[in-house]
Amino acid sequence: MSNVRTIEVNQSIFAANDHLADDIRGRLRENHTFLMNVMASPGAGKSSVLLRTIDMLKDRLKIGVMEADIDATVDAEKMLAAGVRSIQIHTGGECAMNASMTKQALDEFRTDDLDLLFLENIGNLVCPAEEDVGSSMNMEILSIPEGDDKPLKYPLMFQVTQVVLINKIDTRDYFNFDDKAVVERIHRLNPDSKIFFVSAKTGEGFEAWTKWLLEQVETWNEN
Amino acid sequence: MSNVRTIEVNQSIFAANDHLADDIRGRLRENHTFLMNVMASPGAGKSSVLLRTIDMLKDRLKIGVMEADIDATVDAEKMLAAGVRSIQIHTGGECAMNASMTKQALDEFRTDDLDLLFLENIGNLVCPAEEDVGSSMNMEILSIPEGDDKPLKYPLMFQVTQVVLINKIDTRDYFNFDDKAVVERIHRLNPDSKIFFVSAKTGEGFEAWTKWLLEQVETWNEN
């Protein structure tokens, strides 16, 4: 590192929305609804992972999806086409959901009867990591084509997520991606992080992931 | 679209840094330095594209790179290892460079003798699109694995960029990516946008791209 000149630009941008986030969590807990905040880069496969996950768990759980986007309704259209209860949220240019926007969405989209509610956050590894949306759990989907160095570049994302899905493992032959290195880098940032290697395309790894997720939802909803 | 419920959350986040950006542009023009603001999702291949571009143009132009990251110095290390003059900028959590940070970086990293200076912005399709950094030109690198729907989801990025590189075309067989659709979507947002299909891995498409870039730099620096 010694020969790299580095400039630190210090600016605080962390929003003080933690109180509202706790209110949301309390309300969801009362209703026995588990809110999973899904974060990833653009194109990492958030919608595809959710569609397959929902398909595998739909006989066990009542599931809904809130799609957050700057613009467009393509993901919500996909969810509706698959028969998934969903709503589109437009963030008005904001690069991440926050607790206030989540509350607006929950008020609009009645979710009291749901066991599991996914929030598909804006595709971005920076801003979403900084905002507590009141979720029961945070997850990150990292795809093989993005590379194994992402935990080095976006450490906060991997610190605030309890589970990481490494997606698109069916494309492994086409990219240099070091499984061992990525697991080490993630665990250095969060030793308790659960990691699954999956392919939303082929379904590989989804048995283990959905079994684990079902346990989390059941445990959370029992308390 | 009619059956998708959509919530509009209106919040303005556009920073008023345009005056400073114009100052930067003026100063760079005086010094005959072309500043290219490089934007992309995490893992789209920004560093790899830059390394190959620089290698192909290094006998024609004096080139430098400013690497913006939340954390880490991996990209600046790569540039130095390749013998490229570079500096690392840490944005202190900010999800994009702005004019003020760019000015700090330019003051620190003396660039008066450079013909071409790349700013590798934070990996993100949202915030960087909103900030004028004082660049001569903005470019976006979209990689095949991310999917052809990105212009629909992140329209502002494609409105503010004058050139789009579609990278990783060597992986085309492994992803459903509609070339014609993506070109149409980009041109609907910006009819003048120049689009190149390239592979930083194999070098495909780089002759046309670097030839075009050289022309832009020479034209700009002559004026």
Side-chain angles (χ1 to χ4, degrees):
Chain A
M1 307 266 184
S2 54
N3 48 353
V4 171
R5 275 202 291 156
T6 300
I7 304 169
E8 306 286 342
V9 184
N10 290 309
Q11 274 165 298
S12 172
I13 58 158
F14 298 97
N17 74 335
D18 295 3
H19 182 72
L20 185 55
D22 284 336
D23 283 354
I24 292 172
R25 238 182 316 272
R27 168 178 157 188
L28 289 167
R29 196 180 276 280
E30 255 174 51
N31 292 333
H32 302 281
T33 303
F34 184 99
L35 176 60
M36 179 67 99
N37 177 20
V38 184
M39 299 179 282
S41 295
K46 289 184 288 302
S47 300
S48 310
V49 164
L50 291 188
L51 283 171
R52 189 178 276 273
T53 301
I54 292 166
D55 189 57
M56 288 176 73
L57 292 178
K58 67 171 188 272
D59 297 334
R60 307 289 299 271
L61 301 170
K62 269 196 196 164
I63 308 176
V65 178
M66 302 192 289
E67 293 286 349
D69 276 295
I70 301 291
D71 211 333
T73 53
V74 284
D75 290 337
E77 298 283 342
K78 270 187 235 170
M79 293 295 159
L80 284 179
V84 178
R85 232 167 93 186
S86 64
I87 193 168
Q88 179 74 51
I89 304 163
H90 281 167
T91 61
E94 284 284 349
C95 58
M97 289 290 289
N98 58 27
S100 158
M101 293 185 212
T102 305
K103 190 179 173 301
Q104 284 182 59
L106 290 171
D107 289 344
E108 181 86 8
F109 182 43
R110 289 191 53 78
T111 59
D112 304 0
D113 63 323
L114 295 177
D115 302 309
L116 171 58
L117 175 58
F118 289 107
L119 169 62
E120 188 177 330
N121 216 315
I122 303 285
N124 184 326
L125 297 185
V126 185
C127 330
E130 293 162 353
E131 302 284 350
D132 186 349
V133 296
S135 56
S136 316
M137 190 177 278
N138 294 329
M139 72 183 273
E140 147 74 1
I141 302 174
L142 172 65
S143 64
I144 296 284
E146 292 171 70
D148 53 38
D149 61 350
K150 292 301 155 291
L152 300 174
K153 290 186 173 179
Y154 303 94
L156 186 64
M157 178 55 77
F158 294 86
Q159 278 158 6
V160 301
T161 44
Q162 289 80 53
V163 54
V164 178
L165 262 58
I166 314 283
N167 190 28
K168 306 194 189 180
I169 56 169
D170 55 292
T171 69
R172 221 181 221 145
D173 294 349
Y174 288 78
F175 299 96
N176 283 329
F177 190 96
D178 187 334
D179 289 8
K180 222 179 124 188
V182 89
V183 167
E184 254 175 44
R185 285 165 186 166
I186 293 169
H187 282 157
R188 208 176 302 142
L189 294 164
N190 182 358
D192 299 325
S193 196
K194 189 83 188 163
I195 302 172
F196 295 95
F197 287 82
V198 304
S199 165
K201 197 174 185 180
T202 67
E204 198 181 337
F206 268 73
E207 280 296 337
W209 147 243
T210 53
K211 182 170 176 285
W212 180 85
L213 175 61
L214 182 62
E215 283 165 17
Q216 308 308 307
V217 174
E218 285 177 347
T219 306
W220 199 88
N221 289 349
E222 275 162 16
N223 294 323
Chain B
M1 304 265 183
S2 55
N3 50 352
V4 170
R5 276 201 292 156
T6 300
I7 304 168
E8 307 285 342
V9 183
N10 289 311
Q11 276 165 298
S12 172
I13 58 159
F14 299 97
N17 75 336
D18 294 3
H19 183 73
L20 185 54
D22 284 337
D23 283 354
I24 292 172
R25 239 182 315 273
R27 169 179 157 186
L28 289 167
R29 198 180 274 280
E30 255 173 52
N31 293 332
H32 303 280
T33 303
F34 184 98
L35 176 60
M36 178 67 100
N37 177 21
V38 184
M39 300 179 281
S41 295
K46 289 185 288 302
S47 300
S48 312
V49 164
L50 291 189
L51 283 171
R52 189 178 277 274
T53 302
I54 292 165
D55 189 56
M56 289 176 72
L57 292 178
K58 66 171 189 271
D59 297 333
R60 308 287 300 270
L61 300 170
K62 270 196 195 165
I63 308 176
V65 177
M66 303 193 288
E67 292 286 348
D69 276 295
I70 302 291
D71 211 334
T73 53
V74 284
D75 289 337
E77 298 283 341
K78 269 187 234 169
M79 294 295 158
L80 284 180
V84 178
R85 233 166 94 186
S86 64
I87 193 168
Q88 179 75 51
I89 304 163
H90 281 167
T91 61
E94 284 286 349
C95 58
M97 288 291 289
N98 58 27
S100 157
M101 293 186 212
T102 305
K103 190 178 174 302
Q104 284 182 59
L106 290 171
D107 288 344
E108 181 86 10
F109 182 43
R110 289 190 54 76
T111 59
D112 304 359
D113 63 323
L114 295 177
D115 303 309
L116 172 57
L117 175 59
F118 289 107
L119 169 62
E120 187 177 330
N121 216 315
I122 302 286
N124 185 326
L125 297 185
V126 186
C127 331
E130 293 163 353
E131 302 282 352
D132 186 350
V133 296
S135 55
S136 318
M137 190 178 276
N138 293 330
M139 71 184 273
E140 147 74 1
I141 302 173
L142 172 65
S143 64
I144 296 284
E146 291 170 70
D148 52 39
D149 62 350
K150 292 300 156 289
L152 300 175
K153 290 186 175 180
Y154 303 95
L156 187 63
M157 177 56 76
F158 294 87
Q159 279 159 5
V160 301
T161 45
Q162 290 80 51
V163 54
V164 178
L165 263 58
I166 314 284
N167 190 29
K168 306 194 189 181
I169 55 168
D170 54 293
T171 68
R172 222 181 219 144
D173 294 349
Y174 287 79
F175 300 95
N176 284 328
F177 190 96
D178 187 333
D179 290 7
K180 221 180 125 188
V182 88
V183 168
E184 255 175 43
R185 286 164 186 167
I186 293 168
H187 282 158
R188 209 175 304 143
L189 294 164
N190 181 358
D192 299 325
S193 198
K194 189 84 188 163
I195 303 172
F196 295 95
F197 287 81
V198 304
S199 165
K201 198 174 184 180
T202 66
E204 198 180 338
F206 268 72
E207 280 296 337
W209 147 242
T210 54
K211 183 170 176 286
W212 181 86
L213 176 61
L214 182 62
E215 283 164 16
Q216 308 309 307
V217 174
E218 286 175 347
T219 306
W220 200 90
N221 289 348
E222 274 162 19
N223 295 323

